[in-house]
């Protein structure tokens, strides 16, 4: 096995751009497929003669497994490396689609696409994004933003492409082709060249001094001590609240437009506009954040607050041009927010704990994602319109932005990135190193008269 290259500091480029390319393809072949899987929805309802609600559980189970399986992906990455775990995830994703070809009931699809492919998605996503953040520091947000553009671009391409496959080869043949497509995730995983950083060495030394009891090993691999890490848990709470309202427009914006009196093509165009501006927002946010003029936590607070306002303003869209403007704002602001979240995690927990931190964060935030859409639907049922749904969704994001204010040094205007390109975690590491050096210097001044024994 080739040894991991050793770096005294984050390279901020080099092979990291190949990792970004792998993450771009990964985001397309995971979330692009999830967003476009609705093409199979009608086929499954008709073929299996099942209710729409029952068929909807296929992707719901897959997304739930992807998010709840993220801590496992982080633990395996800590133990065996991101490359091996991501390649295994690509294999499981492809295998799930292949076995779905033989499905004779919805239960088979729950197990193959929902459980098996969902687990594969988890094993691919967490190691890939974590590896991107390890290769970059000054350009971290831009790198993450570029990686996530694969979601927007694939959403445009995959829906008509999957429909063509279904029309030409039927849903079974389309799943067989999709299995071949997702097998490329194995190739993406092979591009995740491991990297060893200075912070990793310090962590290994600390871990070696600990007892190797079974429970402690599990805790160490899953990084469960992060549950006692107050800043991380406050960030997790904020992202969970944000997630509760974040996806509501994706579920109900089209239905709201139809109720307002616009036809299905006009309503669908609103989401296309949001998808385009979402892509632009991710790139702009990455570029702006990496300028270093503002701290990442302030950038995230800004985009969260603006996204909250844009969602709460949807019920005001009584004319089509106004709805287009609101859709444009929502797409841009929500897209700009996404890469900042993943770039902020290393500043909170340290780059050496990114695998565990990212995995646990996704598991915790999934609670908001699972509750948001049903809650908004319930509000629609009891009020008779979507006004309360969007107002409450915007309110959740507003609460999330308030929780962000509790993160360490939030009200400090000093920007570490603007001054010297160093994040808070690296400054802490340097402070620790300085303390060690001072201690060694202090000891050396007092041991001159002590005889040294040769070994």
């Amino acid at each position: 096995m080739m040894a991991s290259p050793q770096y005294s500091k984050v390279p901020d480029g080099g092979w990291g751009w190949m990792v970004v390319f792998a993450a771009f393809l990964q985001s397309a072949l995971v979330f692009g497929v999830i967003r476009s899987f609705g093409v199979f929805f009608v086929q499954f309802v008709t073929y299996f003669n099942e209710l729409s609600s029952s068929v909807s559980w296929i992707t719901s189970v897959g997304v739930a497994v992807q998010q709840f399986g993220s801590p496992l992906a982080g633990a395996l990455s800590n133990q065996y490396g991101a490359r091996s775990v991501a390649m295994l995830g690509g294999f499981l994703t492809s295998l799930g689609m292949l076995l779905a070809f033989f499905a004779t009931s919805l239960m088979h699809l729950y197990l193959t696409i929902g459980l098996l492919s969902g687990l594969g998605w988890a094993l691919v996503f967490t190691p890939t994004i974590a590896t991107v953040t390890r290769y970059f520091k000054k350009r971290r947000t831009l790198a993450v933003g570029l990686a996530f553009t694969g979601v927007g671009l694939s959403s445009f391409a995959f829906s008509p492409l999957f429909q063509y496959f279904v029309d030409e080869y039927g849903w079974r043949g389309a799943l067989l082709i999709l299995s071949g497509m997702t097998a490329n995730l194995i190739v993406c995983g092979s591009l995740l060249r491991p990297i060893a950083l200075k912070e990793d060495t310090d962590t290994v030394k600390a871990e070696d001094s600990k007892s190797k009891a079974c429970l402690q090993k599990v805790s160490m691999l899953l990084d469960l001590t992060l549950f006692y890490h107050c800043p991380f848990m406050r960030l997790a709470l904020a992202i969970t609240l944000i997630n509760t309202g974040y996806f509501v427009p994706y579920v109900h914006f089209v239905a709201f437009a139809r109720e307002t009196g616009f036809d299905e093509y006009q309503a669908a165009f609103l989401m296309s506009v949001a998808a385009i501006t979402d892509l632009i927002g991710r790139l702009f946010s990455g570029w702006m954040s990496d300028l270093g003029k503002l701290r990442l936590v302030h950038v995230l607070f800004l985009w969260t607050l603006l996204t909250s306002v844009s969602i709460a303003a949807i019920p005001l869209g009584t004319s089509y041009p106004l709805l287009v403007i609101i859709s444009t704002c929502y797409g841009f602001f929500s897209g700009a927010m996404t890469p900042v979240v993943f770039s902020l995690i290393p500043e909170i927990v340290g780059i050496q704990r990114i695998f565990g931190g990212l995995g646990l964060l996704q598991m915790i935030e999934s609670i908001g994602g699972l509750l948001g859409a049903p809650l908004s639907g319930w509000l629609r049922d009891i009020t008779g319109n979507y006004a309360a749904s969007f107002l409450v969704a915007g309110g959740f994001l507003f609460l999330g932005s308030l929780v962000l204010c509790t993160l360490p040094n939030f009200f400090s205007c000093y920007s570490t990135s603007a001054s010297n390109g160093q994040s808070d975690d690296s400054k802490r590491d340097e402070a620790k190193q300085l303390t060690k050096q001072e201690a060694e210097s202090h000891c050396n001044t007092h041991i001159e008269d002590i005889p040294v024994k040769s070994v």
Side-chain angles (χ1 to χ4, degrees), residues 31 55 115 119 121 142 200 217 231 252 276 305 312 337 339 351 364 372 376 407:
F31 295 103
V55 176
L115 184 61
L119 179 60
W121 293 336
L142 177 61
D200 301 331
K217 285 185 178 180
H252 295 302
I276 294 172
L305 196 60
M337 181 171 56
I351 194 64
I364 297 171
S376 65
L407 292 178

Side-chain angles (χ1 to χ4, degrees), residues 115-272:
L115 184 61
L116 196 57
S117 291
L119 179 60
W121 293 336
L123 297 182
V124 168
F125 176 75
T126 301
T128 303
I129 298 302
T131 304
V132 171
T133 63
R134 286 174 61 80
Y135 266 94
F136 292 88
K137 187 173 186 179
K138 294 180 181 179
R139 302 174 179 173
R140 183 178 289 158
T141 312
L142 177 61
V144 175
L146 286 171
F148 279 119
T149 56
V151 179
L153 293 177
S154 61
S155 298
F156 283 106
F158 283 176
S159 290
L161 182 63
F162 291 174
Q163 187 62 59
Y164 171 77
F165 290 155
V166 169
D167 293 340
E168 290 293 320
Y169 308 105
W171 65 266
R172 293 185 187 275
L175 286 176
L176 197 61
I177 297 173
L178 190 54
S179 174
M181 290 176 60
T182 53
N184 286 287
L185 288 170
I186 302 174
V187 181
C188 295
S190 68
L191 294 176
L192 303 183
R193 179 184 295 173
I195 178 176
L197 301 174
K198 178 185 65 176
E199 293 87 346
D200 301 331
T201 305
D202 296 337
T203 302
V204 170
K205 289 179 180 178
E207 290 172 354
D208 287 343
S209 63
K210 297 179 180 179
S211 172
K212 296 299 181 179
C214 182
L215 291 178
Q216 288 178 326
K217 285 185 178 180
V218 173
S219 177
M220 183 178 67
L221 289 175
L222 294 174
D223 219 344
L224 297 182
T225 55
L226 285 174
F227 283 116
Y228 300 99
H229 192 293
C230 291
F232 172 77
M233 291 306 297
R234 291 199 293 270
L235 176 65
L237 174 60
I239 302 304
T240 301
L241 291 170
I242 291 170
N243 249 24
T244 306
Y246 182 89
F247 295 102
V248 169
Y250 283 106
V251 180
H252 295 302
F253 202 171
V254 171
F256 170 76
R258 293 297 306 277
E259 281 193 359
T260 308
F262 303 108
D263 61 44
E264 61 271 21
Y265 294 103
Q266 289 177 310
F269 179 73
L270 293 173
M271 295 314 299
S272 297

Side-chain angles (χ1 to χ4, degrees), residues 138 289-296 347 413-423 427:
K138 294 180 181 179
S289 300
D290 290 340
L291 289 177
K293 304 299 182 183
L294 293 172
R295 293 177 58 204
L296 282 180
E347 291 199 356
C413 295
Y414 178 71
S415 174
T416 57
S417 298
S419 61
N420 53 15
Q422 293 178 311
S423 59
K427 276 187 169 291

